[in-house]
Amino acid sequence: MLKNRAYYRSQAIINVVMVLISMLFVLPLILLISSSLTDAEALKDGGYSLIPRSFSLAAYQSIFSNPQQIIDGYKTTIFVSVTAALAGTFVMCLTAYPLSRSYFPMKKVYNWFIFFPMLFSGGMIPSYIINTQYLNLDNTYWIYILPALCSTWNVIIIKTFFLGLPNEIFESAKIDGASELSIFFRFVLPLSKPVIATMALTTLLGKWNDWNTALLYIRDTELYSLQYLLQRILREAEFIKQMSYNTEINMGMIDVGSQQAAPEVIRYAMCIVAAGPALCIFPFFQKYFAKGLTVGSVKG
Amino acid sequence: MKKSIKLIAAVLACVMVLGLCACGGSQTATDTDGEVTLKWLTAGPGKQKDSDLVWATFNEKLAEKMPNTQVEIEALPFADFAEKWRLMIAANETIDIAWSGYAVNYTDEVKKGGYLELNDLLTQYAPKLYKSMPEWVWDLMEVDGKIYGIPCYQMMASRPAGFKVFKEDAEKYMDYKTLEEELLKKSEAGNPVLSEKAFDVIENYLLALNANGVPNKGFAPYNIAFIGEAEAQSDYGLSSPVNTVYLEYDETGRPIAKDGCAPDVTDVFYKRMAGIYQKGLIRKDVLTASDIRADEGVIGGYAMWYHAYDKFTEQQESLQIGKDIKVIHGEEKYIRPTGPAATNNSLPRSCSNPVRAMQFLEVLNDPADTSLYNMLVYGIEDKHYKKVGDNKIETLDYVGSPTLDSGYGIQKWVIGDSFNAYMTQGDVEGYDEYVKTDMNANAVAGNMEGFKFDKTPVKTELAQIDSVRKEFYGLRYGTYTDWQAKLKEYREKVQKCGQQKVIAEVQRQLDAWYDAQNK
């Protein structure tokens, strides 16, 4: 009885702590959603609250007032992140598999080739030169997808997971006459669902949140990724505001009258529009995710 | 192990060789014959719906004037311009003309070798363009005696700054004549701080508004340093190069650098601001508010705010706000700025044909035929604008500044000489004329014209001082109840950051400059 009570008490304490910690993550999100649904004036005067003080959809209306751009942005982002996630995971698994086999002759050399650029990469300007002047990838969908196909770090994680698969499976498959490819497709891939799901999800989210690629390489509005589009609307407003503030006295005729900065409400609404779908996808992957994250750490 | 070291060495060697190759590839072709396509990297709202159409039409028209020349325009959004420009020039991409306005640091880019020197090209291939601007405007663009940028001609002189108030309220409750006198006195003498008398007027006005129930949000915090800290001087062409240093002049006119953080210099300002804050005359959340300017020029917003003005300001802003405002003058002169113009075009070092690029700019900015320029700015007639007068148009899908959503439109001050632009429904009649003949022509040199402070010797000190200043922003808004203790702490900290070294460095450079001027 006494033991029971102590048990419940400790459980209660742990739960309370966990609830508090999760509140730290959940509350800002709720605040964000509620702020995006608040009337702009009310937000300015009254500050933030968990329940919108005066409900208004104006921010969303103004974002979707030019829906074509947002639709294009969604199209680009969905296509790019799904393609990159699927193709990327596949390529990374294909890369990792031979590296995980002890009898692969060139293992050391390839390992080194893959590992070295992770530590010493060329940097932004050389990759920009390669992508634009030699591969001509700029201003196409390819720039989003191709450079993201193979991430060294992910290859190492996948490789470690493959190393953990029981060796007996490979031996018996070999004895039964399976080729390396059929071992890969019929045994390795089905057994590696957690790590595949994890890698697919991280690539998907990475690509979903990526705005830098579009900033550097994309010129046509139709090819803007969603994040970049939203980022741009905000940055443009912010930038013009800042410029007009800082150099007021020397700006001359540069007129900023009609370029009002996007009010805060619109920013929050943009966050929701941009992050929303990714938030919804996450729970479906979660059961794999936790497992996939730990796979790199334990062998055997 | 040995093998792998060898391998690493080999790879590194390859990388270095490749790196060297990449650096040596700049082109110096200057031929003027044959088909040329000039690449023009400009800024604006970004590529719009009809951009391609307008640019194609532009090239057709251009062919009539400059056969064999085509222009390929890339319009980057202002916010992205600096980043993309840096990347493109580092990658040595061919760019024939590039905007070099406020988004990039003109002087830094020149020092890095980003732009070609233009003196000879200008006089030889663009004489009309060269003559269209006064000599002092070109002087602004000089770095070590050479010109690297062609200003997009517009308002070049600095506008003075003063207080703006609502006319009706000020006439009832404010002794604005005294305030104006005190402001003018301050700028005349180059004092860093406004007098107590002026603060009395401000405080009494705000109190009177509250006592009489006039809805207002008090004293606008933005630009407040201009009435009470050393940095105020930059406002009046007295140009202290450092925020915590102010200048005085001895009887021979030699500038003397003074410690802006010495006791008593700015005490009045901090004392009065603390008083204003404690009486509730400035917003309580001034240190944390995200946009302290949102209530400027709004009915029921701030009661007074400090800003640049000119002859047309009262008329223009009263219209915008919907209530008459009054400007309390702070200075009667237009001062020539000391830095480069805010918006220019340059020929990058990767320019493939500088002669043709310069010839093109001459044609584009020709005041005798402004149709090319105006097409790039406003688009195509009857599609993007309607002609309503000889030189007057109405833009069809925006008023004022075009945006990404407009069919087409680029800010006139990005493309070229903005005095060649058609007047739109957003412009005030007579304003251009006033700017050109009154402001630009009559602008006077500031006391420190030609002096450029080189920050490198005291870079670390300045960075440290700057972070201390930010830490104590509460002083200038008066938010500390124990402002005297805080002020003492602030001053001690600034001195520890090497304030004296900074002052000595400023003085050293001032002396060198002054002696060179008065040989």
Side-chain angles (χ1 to χ4, degrees):
Chain A
M1 186 67 198
L2 199 71
K3 203 178 172 188
N4 234 354
R5 192 178 290 165
Y7 172 76
Y8 281 124
R9 191 180 296 152
S10 68
Q11 280 296 304
I13 292 172
I14 289 171
N15 275 309
V16 167
V17 171
M18 288 301 168
V19 166
L20 285 179
I21 291 176
S22 50
M23 292 280 252
L24 285 180
F25 294 90
V26 175
L27 280 182
L29 190 71
I30 297 176
L31 209 56
L32 194 72
I33 297 174
S34 122
S35 304
S36 76
L37 290 169
T38 311
D39 181 58
E41 280 301 309
L43 196 69
K44 205 177 87 189
D45 293 335
Y48 309 106
S49 69
L50 284 179
I51 300 153
R53 228 172 292 105
S54 65
F55 185 80
S56 149
L57 282 173
Y60 290 93
Q61 270 164 7
S62 89
I63 291 181
F64 287 105
S65 65
N66 191 351
Q68 193 52 44
Q69 274 188 13
I70 301 258
I71 292 169
D72 282 341
Y74 260 116
K75 256 196 256 167
T76 308
T77 298
I78 291 175
F79 173 75
V80 161
S81 40
V82 170
T83 318
L86 294 179
T89 315
F90 184 64
V91 168
M92 285 186 282
C93 287
L94 277 181
T95 320
Y97 178 63
L99 295 178
S100 72
R101 298 296 91 208
S102 54
Y103 46 82
F104 178 53
M106 302 278 279
K107 203 175 126 192
K108 269 200 173 146
V109 179
Y110 277 107
N111 254 335
W112 191 80
F113 260 111
I114 287 176
F115 187 59
F116 188 75
M118 194 173 101
L119 302 176
F120 305 99
S121 67
M124 188 167 79
I125 289 168
S127 53
Y128 178 81
I129 295 177
I130 295 280
N131 285 335
T132 56
Q133 290 172 18
Y134 293 92
L135 304 175
N136 290 325
L137 293 178
D138 53 327
N139 216 20
T140 61
Y141 274 138
W142 294 113
I143 189 64
Y144 288 116
I145 299 167
L146 288 183
L149 279 186
C150 195
S151 137
T152 316
W153 179 244
N154 290 353
V155 168
I156 291 171
I157 293 183
I158 297 174
K159 190 189 96 180
T160 319
F161 187 89
F162 287 171
L163 282 174
L165 296 175
N167 221 12
E168 292 76 14
I169 298 174
F170 299 95
E171 279 167 10
S172 59
K174 276 235 166 124
I175 290 167
D176 289 343
S179 67
E180 287 296 341
L181 267 185
S182 60
I183 294 178
F184 177 70
F185 281 110
R186 292 167 73 177
F187 294 99
V188 176
L189 285 192
L191 285 171
S192 309
K193 269 190 220 144
V195 78
I196 291 172
T198 311
M199 290 308 133
L201 183 68
T202 44
T203 318
L204 185 79
L205 289 182
K207 279 281 123 188
W208 187 277
N209 289 327
D210 170 40
W211 59 275
N212 209 29
T213 312
L215 165 75
L216 298 179
Y217 295 105
I218 300 297
R219 287 189 297 275
D220 289 349
T221 326
E222 310 89 73
L223 298 181
Y224 282 172
S225 66
L226 181 68
Q227 301 293 342
Y228 177 64
L229 182 72
L230 300 179
Q231 179 88 2
R232 222 202 99 167
I233 298 172
L234 287 180
R235 270 166 31 112
E236 192 77 346
E238 193 65 19
F239 182 78
I240 287 169
K241 194 173 85 181
Q242 279 306 323
M243 283 316 299
S244 67
Y245 283 14
N246 294 343
T247 49
E248 188 90 46
I249 312 245
N250 280 322
M251 280 289 275
M253 282 198 303
I254 295 176
D255 82 289
V256 287
S258 59
Q259 306 225 10
Q260 288 301 326
E264 276 171 73
V265 208
I266 294 187
R267 293 180 206 196
Y268 300 135
M270 280 180 179
C271 291
I272 303 296
V273 169
L279 273 178
C280 299
I281 293 173
F282 192 76
F284 295 104
F285 277 86
Q286 206 179 15
K287 70 172 179 185
Y288 295 111
F289 202 61
K291 201 172 168 194
L293 277 183
T294 54
V295 290
S297 53
V298 203
K299 271 195 195 175
Chain B
M1 188 63 203
K2 255 187 191 163
K3 246 190 196 167
S4 65
I5 288 176
K6 263 186 198 163
L7 197 55
I8 292 176
V11 170
L12 287 177
C14 288
V15 169
M16 280 157 113
V17 169
L18 283 175
L20 287 177
C21 294
C23 292
S26 70
Q27 286 166 298
T28 44
T30 48
D31 74 293
T32 46
D33 304 312
E35 284 278 340
V36 175
T37 302
L38 298 170
K39 166 129 191 194
W40 186 1
L41 186 70
T42 187
K47 197 173 175 183
Q48 293 142 318
K49 205 172 69 215
D50 295 334
S51 292
D52 283 327
L53 175 74
V54 173
W55 295 336
T57 322
F58 175 81
N59 275 321
E60 277 168 30
K61 293 271 173 222
L62 182 67
E64 293 167 14
K65 299 206 147 188
M66 288 184 80
N68 289 337
T69 306
Q70 296 282 288
V71 181
E72 183 199 333
I73 296 168
E74 186 173 343
L76 298 176
F78 288 108
D80 295 346
F81 187 87
E83 203 157 341
K84 263 197 156 160
W85 152 256
R86 257 180 250 132
L87 203 56
M88 289 170 91
I89 195 70
N92 223 18
E93 256 182 69
T94 304
I95 310 166
D96 296 292
I97 304 170
W99 184 66
S100 55
Y102 57 83
V104 292
N105 186 325
Y106 172 78
T107 319
D108 282 357
E109 291 293 326
V110 170
K111 297 238 158 160
K112 275 193 268 178
Y115 305 130
L116 299 180
E117 181 195 317
L118 301 177
N119 294 51
D120 297 340
L121 286 167
L122 267 170
T123 43
Q124 209 175 334
Y125 299 104
K128 273 195 266 177
L129 179 59
Y130 186 66
K131 286 212 186 75
S132 68
M133 286 172 254
E135 199 60 37
W136 64 266
V137 173
W138 292 107
D139 291 347
L140 297 180
M141 304 309 295
E142 281 188 358
V143 177
D144 299 329
K146 298 279 187 252
I147 297 167
Y148 295 88
I150 302 163
C152 300
Y153 199 28
Q154 46 149 347
M155 179 195 289
M156 290 293 169
S158 297
R159 296 191 299 169
F163 276 111
K164 298 178 185 176
V165 289
F166 290 106
K167 198 171 175 192
E168 193 194 326
D169 301 334
E171 274 167 2
K172 262 192 230 162
Y173 305 115
M174 186 190 224
D175 180 10
Y176 56 85
K177 284 204 182 93
T178 310
L179 182 57
E180 188 161 291
E181 269 166 32
E182 292 299 315
L183 276 168
L184 291 174
K185 246 193 253 166
K186 168 183 180 297
S187 77
E188 196 60 38
N191 287 337
V193 184
L194 201 56
S195 65
E196 291 243 30
K197 211 164 145 192
F199 278 109
D200 286 339
V201 176
I202 294 171
E203 211 175 292
N204 290 338
Y205 174 54
L206 297 170
L207 288 171
L209 287 181
N210 290 347
N212 289 285
V214 181
N216 76 87
K217 293 186 180 166
F219 195 42
Y222 183 70
N223 266 349
I224 223 163
F226 282 104
I227 59 167
E229 284 182 351
E231 60 195 275
Q233 282 194 320
S234 59
D235 194 14
Y236 298 110
L238 298 162
S239 285
S240 164
V242 176
N243 288 327
T244 49
V245 175
Y246 70 103
L247 305 184
E248 277 181 11
Y249 300 86
D250 67 7
E251 48 300 343
T252 58
R254 176 186 291 272
I256 309 289
K258 292 272 187 177
D259 188 350
C261 287
D264 297 334
V265 177
T266 46
D267 287 22
V268 169
F269 172 56
Y270 299 129
K271 183 179 87 185
R272 299 307 300 253
M273 286 316 295
I276 286 177
Y277 184 86
Q278 267 142 41
K279 292 191 182 92
L281 303 175
I282 197 165
R283 59 190 292 171
K284 284 269 172 263
D285 60 348
V286 57
L287 282 176
T288 50
S290 65
D291 186 1
I292 52 172
R293 289 196 62 189
D295 285 316
E296 284 172 10
V298 176
I299 298 172
Y302 294 133
M304 57 194 302
W305 60 106
Y306 190 76
H307 268 294
Y309 67 91
D310 56 50
K311 210 171 95 184
F312 283 76
T313 303
E314 280 185 6
Q315 183 196 343
Q316 266 172 336
E317 292 189 9
S318 297
L319 272 177
Q320 274 168 18
I321 296 167
K323 192 174 174 185
D324 278 356
I325 66 152
K326 176 170 185 56
V327 175
I328 300 169
H329 291 215
E331 164 75 74
E332 295 301 359
K333 288 177 291 206
Y334 302 121
I335 308 275
R336 298 178 192 168
T338 47
T343 163
N344 327 291
N345 280 308
S346 293
L347 308 188
R349 66 150 187 260
S350 58
C351 176
S352 63
N353 199 327
V355 171
R356 194 67 70 87
M358 192 55 88
Q359 285 168 334
F360 165 71
L361 288 175
E362 173 84 338
V363 170
L364 181 75
N365 290 300
D366 185 1
D369 180 4
T370 61
S371 59
L372 282 172
Y373 167 80
N374 278 302
M375 186 185 286
L376 278 191
V377 174
Y378 296 116
I380 297 166
E381 187 172 348
D382 292 329
K383 190 167 169 67
H384 303 115
Y385 66 87
K386 211 167 65 216
K387 233 173 168 154
V388 292
D390 199 16
N391 228 356
K392 250 187 111 137
I393 58 159
E394 261 171 33
T395 45
L396 294 180
D397 48 6
Y398 66 90
V399 178
S401 269
T403 66
L404 187 60
D405 299 335
S406 317
Y408 182 82
I410 296 185
Q411 282 80 351
K412 61 183 173 186
W413 40 265
V414 183
I415 299 296
D417 183 345
S418 62
F419 294 121
N420 285 340
Y422 297 143
M423 274 194 56
T424 68
Q425 68 269 45
D427 296 319
V428 178
E429 196 84 49
Y431 191 70
D432 272 11
E433 214 32 49
Y434 156 73
V435 169
K436 201 170 177 177
T437 55
D438 202 353
M439 291 183 69
N440 284 355
N442 296 332
V444 294
N447 294 5
M448 301 300 301
E449 192 172 85
F451 175 69
K452 286 197 175 98
F453 185 63
D454 179 9
K455 286 183 179 168
T456 20
V458 284
K459 219 169 164 183
T460 359
E461 286 82 2
L462 287 177
Q464 283 173 5
I465 290 176
D466 216 47
S467 70
V468 172
R469 278 179 65 239
K470 290 209 177 94
E471 189 188 331
F472 286 91
Y473 265 177
L475 274 173
R476 61 162 70 157
Y477 301 126
T479 59
Y480 303 127
T481 35
D482 54 341
W483 66 273
Q484 274 150 317
K486 283 279 183 190
L487 183 58
K488 204 167 152 249
E489 196 186 331
Y490 166 63
R491 282 176 174 155
E492 275 163 12
K493 276 200 173 174
V494 169
Q495 297 302 342
K496 269 193 203 130
C497 293
Q499 164 82 343
Q500 293 309 321
K501 190 179 162 199
V502 173
I503 297 170
E505 179 60 29
V506 173
Q507 188 63 51
R508 193 186 62 78
Q509 293 191 26
L510 283 173
D511 285 342
W513 170 80
Y514 183 81
D515 293 340
Q517 296 248 308
N518 299 281
K519 253 182 211 155

